[in-house]
Amino acid sequence: FMQTAAVQKHGEAALRSKAVTMMEKEAEHLKSVELGLLAMRMAADPFAKVKTLIQQLIERLLRESANEATHKGWCDTEIGKAETDREFRHKDLQSLNADITTLEARKAQLELDIETLTGELHQLNADLTEATQLRLEENAENKETIENAGEGLAALKQALTVLKDFYKKGGKAKVALVQASPVDQDMAGEGAGAGFSGPYKGNQAQGQGIIGMLETIASDFERTEKQTEAAEQKAHREFIEYDRETKSSIATKETGLSQAEKDLTQTNGDLVASLEDLKSNQKLLDASLETLEKLRPACVDTGMSYEERVERREAEIAALKNAVCVLDEEDGAI
């Protein structure tokens, strides 16, 4: 019995040594700290329950695998949410920047339109005021010219009537002009030799010349009156047309100015709102980027990818199972 027990102990030591050697090789090959620590413990404590230690490590590795799978799922979910939010915020920022650029361009154009319309309205009103004043002055001048020409024409017509009547009747020795008393006295004092005896008939030849001259002047008055009246009517028509067109243009531009001012107010409001949205979205984008940075150490910057860690853990578990198989030879299980 003593010899059998010695042989059995020698076999157990050999199998334990074989299992330790396997652990050391696998630990070095896989660069596994867990396998290396287990091999050291197995070698240092020959009385330790090696299979129990191996089984405990297998169970721990399986738990870590399950936990890591859960952690990876959580990481994938959180990173996916953060990246999706980042993309949404980035698109929103691009859209808001485009809107702000459009609104700023519209604001600049509206301000230019308002400045232009204000200047045009000022000029139109000034021109209309000046034209109205000139029209009033022209109208007053034309009225005065027409009145003067009318009065002159009336006086000339009266004078022509008197002269024509006188020379017509004087030529027939039926009528004589009544001379003033001093003239009569002078003529009476001179006697017949003075050549004024009988009815005064006037100088018929010169009288016709005077009448012709007065008729020419009368025709000038008539022409002046007619031309001035025609000019006044034309100027009145032209002013009415100009006044109507100018006031219509003023009304149109005033409406355009009012609308442009309303649009500018609305645009300024939209611009302020867009800038606030831009600021808010920038904060949200910063928050999503900060979330990604916080997730990076636990989910990304781990030194190995999840697939690499799974592969190594599976290799560690396989190595531990092989060690169990070697130890099972001790019990005759294999």
Side-chain angles (χ1 to χ4, degrees):
F1 290 120
M2 292 177 63
Q3 290 178 350
T4 301
V7 171
Q8 185 175 0
K9 288 183 180 179
H10 177 73
E12 291 175 359
L15 292 173
R16 180 187 291 269
S17 177
K18 183 178 178 180
V20 170
T21 301
M22 287 178 59
M23 286 295 98
E24 290 175 344
K25 288 182 178 180
E26 290 296 331
E28 182 180 359
H29 173 69
L30 298 175
K31 294 181 175 55
S32 171
V33 177
E34 288 81 1
L35 294 184
L37 291 174
L38 178 62
M40 290 174 61
R41 188 172 180 183
M42 289 168 60
D45 188 0
F47 299 103
K49 296 181 179 180
V50 177
K51 291 176 68 175
T52 301
L53 295 175
I54 293 174
Q55 187 61 39
Q56 289 176 348
L57 181 57
I58 289 174
E59 291 175 356
R60 183 167 69 84
L61 291 175
L62 290 172
R63 285 195 303 271
E64 289 180 356
S65 178
N67 292 337
E68 188 170 20
T70 303
H71 179 69
K72 181 180 182 301
W74 177 82
C75 284
D76 289 345
T77 300
E78 293 302 315
I79 290 176
K81 286 164 58 177
E83 288 179 343
T84 300
D85 187 62
R86 179 193 62 188
E87 294 302 319
F88 283 157
R89 300 307 171 190
H90 183 65
K91 290 180 180 179
D92 288 343
L93 284 175
Q94 287 182 324
S95 177
L96 284 169
N97 278 318
D99 291 343
I100 288 171
T101 300
T102 302
L103 288 170
E104 287 177 341
R106 178 168 175 75
K107 177 183 177 181
Q109 184 60 51
L110 286 170
E111 289 175 341
L112 179 61
D113 291 344
I114 289 172
E115 182 181 357
T116 301
L117 287 169
T118 301
E120 290 176 347
L121 281 169
H122 176 75
Q123 187 62 48
L124 284 170
N125 282 299
D127 291 345
L128 181 59
T129 300
E130 182 180 3
T132 301
Q133 183 61 34
L134 291 174
R135 177 81 274 272
L136 291 173
E137 293 176 358
E138 183 183 29
N139 177 257
E141 183 179 348
N142 287 336
K143 282 184 177 181
E144 183 179 2
T145 300
I146 292 170
E147 288 177 0
N148 292 336
E151 291 174 357
L153 180 60
L156 278 174
K157 285 182 177 180
Q158 185 178 4
L160 282 169
T161 300
V162 172
L163 287 175
K164 286 181 178 180
D165 184 65
F166 167 73
Y167 282 111
K168 181 178 180 180
K169 294 179 179 179
K172 298 178 180 180
K174 293 182 179 180
V175 179
L177 287 173
V178 178
Q179 297 192 12
S181 171
V183 177
D184 292 340
Q185 292 177 358
D186 292 340
M187 291 174 65
E190 293 175 358
F196 290 99
S197 61
Y200 180 72
K201 300 179 181 180
N203 191 329
Q204 294 291 324
Q206 291 183 358
Q208 294 302 318
I210 293 172
I211 290 172
M213 182 181 64
L214 293 177
E215 286 177 343
T216 299
I217 296 173
S219 65
D220 290 339
F221 277 128
E222 289 177 347
R223 184 171 56 255
T224 299
E225 187 176 19
K226 290 180 180 179
Q227 289 178 346
T228 305
E229 287 176 348
E232 171 62 22
Q233 292 175 359
K234 180 182 178 182
H236 178 72
R237 289 194 303 271
E238 290 176 350
F239 176 76
I240 291 299
E241 182 178 357
Y242 167 77
D243 180 75
R244 186 182 297 112
E245 291 177 355
T246 302
K247 287 181 178 178
S248 176
S249 180
I250 289 174
T252 300
K253 292 183 184 298
E254 285 177 341
T255 301
L257 178 60
S258 177
Q259 186 61 49
E261 290 174 341
K262 290 180 181 177
D263 290 344
L264 180 59
T265 300
Q266 180 65 42
T267 300
N268 284 330
D270 292 343
L271 185 58
V272 170
S274 295
L275 288 172
E276 288 297 324
D277 290 343
L278 181 68
K279 188 184 297 183
S280 299
N281 275 273
Q282 184 62 55
K283 290 181 180 179
L284 293 172
L285 177 61
D286 294 340
S288 64
L289 293 174
E290 184 178 355
T291 300
L292 285 172
E293 286 300 318
K294 289 180 179 179
L295 291 171
R296 185 175 295 278
C299 299
V300 180
D301 298 332
T302 56
M304 295 178 66
S305 68
Y306 172 74
E307 290 75 14
E308 291 173 338
R309 290 195 300 273
V310 169
E311 182 180 357
R312 189 179 71 173
R313 188 173 289 109
E314 289 177 350
E316 289 172 341
I317 293 173
L320 289 170
K321 289 180 177 180
N322 288 334
V324 171
C325 290
V326 170
L327 294 174
D328 281 343
E329 295 179 14
E330 174 187 345
D331 302 328
I334 300 177

